[in-house]
């Protein structure tokens, strides 16, 4: 090997840099352990401790010191599946942005295009592109630059009515990007002040989506509300209850004709309200029978700015009543612009039954034709959480000069008229105080209401950060409990160590002392791999650990190819130095190694491009592992081999036991092709039939939905749980045993097309109410839903994938698989210079993909582990494509070498000899992979078992297809003329 000194220098340099980078991870972990010990299990105390030492020096290298904040920025971060926490993907509503830019245009073509874009948006198509497409189809003679659409005063500086649609589209695209950027800034400000360690927030390309990861966060409902709240703060004057008593009475009478009211016991507060509004005795027959559609839903009398108090579950019905034209017509003409809104829900506990009822106040705001509040949150310059005069949590605010002047006018009018001012956030009234001391100057105000301390802190936080430019809908979310994360770490460690030991033992058993050299290279490879991950600031996930464990199997692949070639050279009578030189040469093992790894890199790159989250972590470790493995296999192991040559030591690249394994193998692969074609044809046909009959178990990644991993105290009947929850939800809820028999994976599509934090909370509450009977003791809703250290029962993990994002995932997956096959096929055409090689390899890959899909289609109903089609499964398929191509390239490279060489015999004999001489390489590389995958399948954890099973099947069938499908198809596709020419040359060698 030339430049051995330079290789050693760089190897030592890389090792030192890797150790340096990894040292930050060790120091950060030590500090975190100290924080945990100090906090004694209190997460808030732990966070405060870490925040307090952020600028304290914790790492001294002699020549420089690092603070804790600097150390944690340089460490390898753990993903949510290892750390626990909450992950959400927010979709900024481009529809809302367009409405705002159009100044809420009433143009029919514009609004029709908005609705069509919502209904017809395709997978991987942005909403903006869908809107442009819909507008072009519906516009007629209308232009985007029409004065009643975008050529309005809001955009007068950028759009005029003379502009073409294409010109306006460019401006709109820019404005949408600005809105997403603005939302990104607002969310970053909110998250930075929330108080979790190492939050991550990132824009996802040009999709209008924003990823937020909060490791260690535990309060699910609170966090979802924090990140998705638009924070549209408004101040409105309100009507008094008595001003709408006649309207409520009239509405109740009008509804009697079309609405059948529920019969129920009438509470005393309702009796007085009924008497007040209907001027009838509350004890009348009508009241007892429940013939009042509106009044029967009132559970407490209103007063002041509150029209009445209702049960939270009835708000949708009330909203529906008030939207009816015949009910709206009853509103007095001078109050026609009224806005009916709800207050912040509160809980009432019945003293006798101890039953808790969620109630909410109804308000009537003095709206206007433009639906614009007298004061909006834009005038707020500061907000702080505080306590009111009663010692209850509140939020104080300071307005700017303009807001202060309007606030003084508003409070002055409220004082004179003895009226009230509603303070509403996102159309929810938090308080509606009166003014008892005259106009309030200076622009300072306070929001008080039914707050907890955490809620007042969050509200102050979002008001300081500002409002989002448009609604932010949670289209995907995942919640992982810390105990589940620790379990994943333990499973990853066991599978990593066991996989490493198995590979090492096999290499020593098969290759003797040369195997020890490969193992040394493997250790250096792991050091480099983790060092690079640390230097890149990569996030380590459970699939990422799987990628590292797989690297253990592939890291020795290049060594196997080199060692097998060296053994062949030694058998031909060459000296050790000559055999090693030939094995490491381009015509020896290097061409096969480069071709195999380039195809592997291409599939890994496609996986990284089309994957998200943990799948990108898997692709990252896989790609880095390929490059570090190549370096260590080729250069590090060579250093030890060259030392043996220099010392004149014998090195046989084998042990006495394995010396002659596969050396005299002479199987007629080409003669067997009829049988292999028949076997594969049957498999493909059976698989295709199964696709139509059984289908595939499409996970929520592909179809949308919610999944929950719920741990019970003792085993439960999955069928019974499924039936009970399906009845409670009103739609199917699938329940499957997940790992242990006291753990279920629950899946439902309930309201998956409806967005909003309230919907997510409703699902959680339905689940809690449906399952709480299976838990002993007083399991609270918070303990059931939220995550915390040491949690062993309740929801350990949950995820949600919205319909829009599932369509994108499905589209990306389809193109990723097709793209991988096309890219590697094109590379083989380029590398081998003949399309027949690409055809054989692509056919083998297609065969492998159909085979794996067929196995999953046939067995997903019967296997004791989950076999879902999701992102992890697609990652497995792409990995199978890479490894199948790896095996095929090794065989094809030998076929090319023998066909171009001087081997005697017919075309069929030469090809058979090519395949037979690669069996040792093929079986060894596949065997090391299978051993590692088996370890991961057994010890890697339930969450990745289906993922590993797909790769395990894929490696097995990929080895088969490389030998029995790819090569025969290559042979069959070679023209008769080329065969005659090849045979003529090889027969000439016989003479």
């Amino acid at each position: 090997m030339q430049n051995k000194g330079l290789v050693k220098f760089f190897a030592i340099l890389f090792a030192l840099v890797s150790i340096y980078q990894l040292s930050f991870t060790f120091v950060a972990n030590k500090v975190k352990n100290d924080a945990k010990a100090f906090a004694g299990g209190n997460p808030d105390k732990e966070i405060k401790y870490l925040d307090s030492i952020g600028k304290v020096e914790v790492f001294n290298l002699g020549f420089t010191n690092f603070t804790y904040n600097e150390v944690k920025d340089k460490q390898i971060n753990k993903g949510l599946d290892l750390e626990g926490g909450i992950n959400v993907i927010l979709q900024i509503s481009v529809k809302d942005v367009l409405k705002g830019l159009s100044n809420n245009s009433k143009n029919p073509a514009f609004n029709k295009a908005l609705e069509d874009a919502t209904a017809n948006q395709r997978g991987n198509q942005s909403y903006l592109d869908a809107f442009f497409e819909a507008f072009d189809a519906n516009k007629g003679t209308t232009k985007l630059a029409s004065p009643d659409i975008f050529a309005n005063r809001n955009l007068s500086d950028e759009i005029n009515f003379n502009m073409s649609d294409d010109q306006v589209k460019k401006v709109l695209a820019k404005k949408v990007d600005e809105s997403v950027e603005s939302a990104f800034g607002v969310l970053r400000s909110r998250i930075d002040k929330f108080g979790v360690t190492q939050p991550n927030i990132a824009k996802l390309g040009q999709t209008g989506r924003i990823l937020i990861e909060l490791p260690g966060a535990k309060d699910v409902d609170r966090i979802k509300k924090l990140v998705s709240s638009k924070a549209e703060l408004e101040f409105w004057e309100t009507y008094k209850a008595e001003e709408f008593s006649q309207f409520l009475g009239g509405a109740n009478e009008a509804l009697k004709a079309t609405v059948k009211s529920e019969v129920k016991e009438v509470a005393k507060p309702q009796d007085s309200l009924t008497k007040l509004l209907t001027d009838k005795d509350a004890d009348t027959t009508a009241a007892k029978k429940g013939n009042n559609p509106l009044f029967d839903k009132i559970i407490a009398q209103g007063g002041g700015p509150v029209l009445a108090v209702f049960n939270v579950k009835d708000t949708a019905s009330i909203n529906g009543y008030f939207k009816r034209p015949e009910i709206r017509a009853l509103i007095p003409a001078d109050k026609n612009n009224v806005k009916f809104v709800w207050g912040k829900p509160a809980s009432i506990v019945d003293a006798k039954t101890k039953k808790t009822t969620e109630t909410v106040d109804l308000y009537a705001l003095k709206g206007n034709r433009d639906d614009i509040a007298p004061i909006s949150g834009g005038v707020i310059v500061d907000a702080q959480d505080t306590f009111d005069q009663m010692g209850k949590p509140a939020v104080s605010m300071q307005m700017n000069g303009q807001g202060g002047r309007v606030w003084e006018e508003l409070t002055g009018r409220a004082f004179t008229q003895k009226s009230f001012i509603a303070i509403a956030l996102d159309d929810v009234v938090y308080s509606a105080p009166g003014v008892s001391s005259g106009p309030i100057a200076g622009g300072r105000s306070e929001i008080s209401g039914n707050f907890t301390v955490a809620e007042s802190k969050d509200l102050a936080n979002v008001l300081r950060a500002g409002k989002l430019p448009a609604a932010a809908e949670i289209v995907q979310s995942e919640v992982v409990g810390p105990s589940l994360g620790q379990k994943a770490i333990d499973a990853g460690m066991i599978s990593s160590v066991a996989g490493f030991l198995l590979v090492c033992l096999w290499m020593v058993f098969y290759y003797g002392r040369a195997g020890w050299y490969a193992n040394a290279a493997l250790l250096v490879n792991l050091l480099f791999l983790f060092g690079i991950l640390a230097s890149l600031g990569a996030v380590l996930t459970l699939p990422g650990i799987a990628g590292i464990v797989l690297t253990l199997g592939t890291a020795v692949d290049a060594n196997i190819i080199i060692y097998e070639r060296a053994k062949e050279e030694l058998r031909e009578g060459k000296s050790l130095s000559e055999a090693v030189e030939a094995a490491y040469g381009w015509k020896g093992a290097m061409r096969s190694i480069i071709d195999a790894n380039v195809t592997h890199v291409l599939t890994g790159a496609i996986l990284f491009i089309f994957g998200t989250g943990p799948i990108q972590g898997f692709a990252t470790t896989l790609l880095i592992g390929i490059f570090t493995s190549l370096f260590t296999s080729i250069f590090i192991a060579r250093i030890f081999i060259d030392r043996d040559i220099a010392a004149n030591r014998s090195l046989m690249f084998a042990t006495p036991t394995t010396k002659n394994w596969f050396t005299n193998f002479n199987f007629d692969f080409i003669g067997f092709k009829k049988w292999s074609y028949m076997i594969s044809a049957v498999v493909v046909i059976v698989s295709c039939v199964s696709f139509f009959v059984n289908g595939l178990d499409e996970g929520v990644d592909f179809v949308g939905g919610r999944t929950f991993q719920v741990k019970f105290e003792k085993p439960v009947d999955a069928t019974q749980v499924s039936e009970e929850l399906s009845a409670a939800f009103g739609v199917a809820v699938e329940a499957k045993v997940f790992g242990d028999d006291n753990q279920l994976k629950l899946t439902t599509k309930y309201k998956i097309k409806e967005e909003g934090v309230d919907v997510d909370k409703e699902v959680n509450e339905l689940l809690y109410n449906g399952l709480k009977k299976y838990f002993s003791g007083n399991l609270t809703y918070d303990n059931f839903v939220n995550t915390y250290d040491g949690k062993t029962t309740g929801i350990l993990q949950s995820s949600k994938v919205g319909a829009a994002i599932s369509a994108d995932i499905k589209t990306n997956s389809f193109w990723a698989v097709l793209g991988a096959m096309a890219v590697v096929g094109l590379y083989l055409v380029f590398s081998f210079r003949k399309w027949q090689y690409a055809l054989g390899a692509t056919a083998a890959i297609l065969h492998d993909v159909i085979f794996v899909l067929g196995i999953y289609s046939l067995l997903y109903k019967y296997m004791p582990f989950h076999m879902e089609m999701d992102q992890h499964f697609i990652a497995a398929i792409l990995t199978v494509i890479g490894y199948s191509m790896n095996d095929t390239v090794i065989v094809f490279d030998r076929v090319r070498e023998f066909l171009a060489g001087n081997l005697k015999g017919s075309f069929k004999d030469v090809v058979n000899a090519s395949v037979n001489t690669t069996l040792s390489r093929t079986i060894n590389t596949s065997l090391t992979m299978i051993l590692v995958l088996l370890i991961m399948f057994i010890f890697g954890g339930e969450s990745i078992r289906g993922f590993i099973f797909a790769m395990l099947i894929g490696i097995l069938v990929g080895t088969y297809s490389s030998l029995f499908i790819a090569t025969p198809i290559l042979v069959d596709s070679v023209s008769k003329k080329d065969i005659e020419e090849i045979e003529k040359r090889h027969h000439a060698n016989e003479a």
Side-chain angles (χ1 to χ4, degrees), residues 426-745:
D426 293 339
D427 280 339
V428 173
V429 174
Y430 277 72
S431 62
V435 180
S436 58
S437 57
I440 301 174
R444 180 163 289 280
S445 59
E446 183 178 86
I447 305 177
S448 59
N450 185 28
F451 289 121
T452 65
V453 173
E455 286 174 334
S456 65
K457 287 182 181 294
D458 289 347
L459 181 56
N461 180 0
V462 297
L463 291 179
R464 285 195 302 271
K467 71 174 185 177
L468 291 172
E473 299 167 348
I474 298 176
V475 294
Q476 184 172 350
S477 65
E478 183 174 16
V479 181
V480 182
S483 58
L484 201 61
Q486 187 58 51
K487 187 177 179 181
I489 293 173
D490 295 341
M493 288 297 296
I494 292 172
S495 61
S496 298
V497 172
F500 177 78
L501 291 176
L502 265 179
V503 171
C504 289
L505 287 172
W506 176 257
M507 291 301 290
V508 172
F509 166 76
Y510 199 88
Y511 293 107
R513 192 164 69 250
W516 285 110
Y517 300 159
N519 293 341
L522 183 58
L523 280 171
V524 176
N525 171 57
L526 287 176
L527 176 63
F528 288 174
L529 175 58
F530 279 105
I532 293 173
L533 287 173
S535 64
L536 293 177
V539 177
L540 192 60
T541 62
L542 187 56
I545 290 179
I548 292 171
V549 178
L550 282 175
T551 299
L552 301 178
T554 58
V556 295
D557 185 26
N559 286 121
I560 289 172
I561 297 173
I562 292 168
Y563 289 177
E564 291 299 322
R565 185 63 184 228
K567 285 199 293 187
E568 291 175 5
E569 300 294 338
L570 287 173
R571 291 191 195 105
E572 292 181 4
K574 292 182 180 179
S575 65
L576 178 60
S577 60
E578 291 172 336
V580 169
E581 200 65 36
Y584 277 92
W586 179 253
K587 292 184 178 180
M590 284 305 105
R591 175 180 282 185
S592 298
I593 291 171
I594 296 302
D595 280 339
N597 281 280
V598 166
T599 55
H600 209 173
V601 167
L602 290 173
T603 54
I606 288 172
L607 184 59
F608 182 84
I609 292 168
F610 287 97
T612 58
I615 302 305
Q616 283 190 328
F618 172 74
T620 300
T621 54
L622 205 59
L623 287 169
I624 294 172
I626 290 170
F627 290 106
T628 56
S629 297
L630 277 174
F631 178 82
T632 55
S633 299
I634 295 171
F635 295 110
I636 302 301
R638 179 75 184 271
I639 292 173
F640 295 104
I641 293 171
D642 284 346
R643 286 178 62 187
D644 280 358
I645 294 172
N648 202 26
R649 283 197 291 263
S650 174
L651 186 64
M652 300 305 296
F653 300 99
T655 63
T657 304
T658 61
K659 181 178 179 180
N660 295 315
W661 284 17
F662 306 110
T663 53
N664 296 312
F665 207 77
N666 190 25
F667 185 78
D668 187 1
F669 289 96
I670 306 305
F672 190 75
K673 68 179 181 180
K674 290 182 179 179
W675 288 102
S676 61
Y677 284 166
M678 192 180 302
I679 293 169
S680 293
V682 170
V683 169
V684 170
I685 291 170
V686 170
S687 296
C688 291
V689 170
S690 183
F691 297 155
F692 287 104
V693 176
N694 295 327
L696 289 158
D697 187 13
E698 292 187 281
V700 295
D701 282 356
F702 281 7
V703 296
R706 292 176 169 86
T707 62
F708 302 88
Q709 184 177 335
V710 181
K711 189 75 172 284
F712 298 85
E713 295 162 352
K714 55 186 179 181
V716 294
D717 185 338
T719 303
Q720 181 180 340
V721 169
S722 175
E723 291 173 354
E724 292 173 351
L725 290 179
S726 296
F729 278 80
V731 298
V733 178
E734 183 183 72
K736 294 181 180 178
V737 175
F738 191 75
D740 301 330
D741 56 4
N742 65 333
Q743 187 169 251
L744 296 181
K745 185 175 184 179

Side-chain angles (χ1 to χ4, degrees), residues 908-924:
K908 174 184 172 182
D909 293 337
V910 173
V911 173
N912 269 328
S914 305
V915 180
N916 280 290
T917 55
T918 61
L919 279 181
S920 185
R921 303 181 191 180
T922 302
I923 292 174
N924 267 304

Side-chain angles (χ1 to χ4, degrees), residues 599-600 602-603 819-829 845 881 885:
T599 55
H600 209 173
L602 290 173
T603 54
M821 294 172 65
V823 166
V824 295
L826 289 172
Y827 175 76
L828 289 184
V829 172
I845 290 173
I881 289 174
M885 188 61 69

Side-chain angles (χ1 to χ4, degrees), residues 621-910:
T621 54
L622 205 59
L623 287 169
I624 294 172
I626 290 170
F627 290 106
T628 56
S629 297
L630 277 174
F631 178 82
T632 55
S633 299
I634 295 171
F635 295 110
I636 302 301
R638 179 75 184 271
I639 292 173
F640 295 104
I641 293 171
D642 284 346
R643 286 178 62 187
D644 280 358
I645 294 172
N648 202 26
R649 283 197 291 263
S650 174
L651 186 64
M652 300 305 296
F653 300 99
T655 63
T657 304
T658 61
K659 181 178 179 180
N660 295 315
W661 284 17
F662 306 110
T663 53
N664 296 312
F665 207 77
N666 190 25
F667 185 78
D668 187 1
F669 289 96
I670 306 305
F672 190 75
K673 68 179 181 180
K674 290 182 179 179
W675 288 102
S676 61
Y677 284 166
M678 192 180 302
I679 293 169
S680 293
V682 170
V683 169
V684 170
I685 291 170
V686 170
S687 296
C688 291
V689 170
S690 183
F691 297 155
F692 287 104
V693 176
N694 295 327
L696 289 158
D697 187 13
E698 292 187 281
V700 295
D701 282 356
F702 281 7
V703 296
R706 292 176 169 86
T707 62
F708 302 88
Q709 184 177 335
V710 181
K711 189 75 172 284
F712 298 85
E713 295 162 352
K714 55 186 179 181
V716 294
D717 185 338
T719 303
Q720 181 180 340
V721 169
S722 175
E723 291 173 354
E724 292 173 351
L725 290 179
S726 296
F729 278 80
V731 298
V733 178
E734 183 183 72
K736 294 181 180 178
V737 175
F738 191 75
D740 301 330
D741 56 4
N742 65 333
Q743 187 169 251
L744 296 181
K745 185 175 184 179
L746 307 172
T747 305
T748 180
K749 295 179 184 176
Y750 179 73
K751 289 189 176 181
I752 195 59
K753 292 186 178 180
E754 297 182 30
E755 305 294 348
V757 175
D758 293 339
V759 176
D760 292 342
K761 187 174 183 181
E762 178 191 347
V763 173
N764 288 339
E765 288 174 343
L766 283 170
L767 194 65
Y768 168 67
N769 291 327
L771 296 178
K772 63 182 179 182
K773 69 177 185 179
Y774 291 100
F775 297 90
S776 61
N778 298 318
L779 179 70
T780 65
Y781 168 80
D782 286 341
N783 286 340
F784 177 76
V785 172
N786 295 327
T787 65
Y788 52 87
D789 292 330
K791 182 175 184 178
T792 56
T793 57
I795 297 177
L796 301 184
Q797 181 175 11
S798 65
S799 64
K800 166 193 168 184
V801 180
I805 204 165
S806 66
D808 288 359
I809 291 171
K810 199 168 187 176
T811 302
N812 281 344
S813 300
F814 174 79
W815 288 112
V817 174
L818 285 187
M821 294 172 65
V823 166
V824 295
L826 289 172
Y827 175 76
L828 289 184
V829 172
F830 167 78
S831 178
F832 284 82
R833 301 293 193 274
K834 286 186 180 292
W835 61 267
Q836 289 90 344
Y837 288 96
L839 176 64
T842 305
I845 290 173
L846 185 60
H847 166 274
D848 298 345
V849 170
I850 292 174
F851 192 102
V852 175
L853 288 172
I855 290 290
Y856 268 60
S857 177
L858 289 165
L859 301 181
Y860 76 85
K861 296 179 181 178
Y862 311 107
M863 286 300 226
F865 53 88
H866 290 265
M867 301 176 71
E868 293 179 345
M869 288 276 291
D870 55 14
Q871 291 190 84
H872 292 82
F873 179 81
I874 297 301
I877 290 293
L878 290 174
T879 307
V880 166
I881 289 174
Y883 285 111
S884 177
M885 188 61 69
N886 193 320
D887 274 346
T888 303
V889 165
I890 291 173
V891 175
F892 279 4
D893 187 73
R894 180 51 62 92
V895 171
R896 173 176 56 182
E897 178 188 347
F898 275 24
L899 289 177
N902 298 318
L903 187 68
K904 299 175 183 180
S906 66
F907 177 74
K908 174 184 172 182
D909 293 337
V910 173

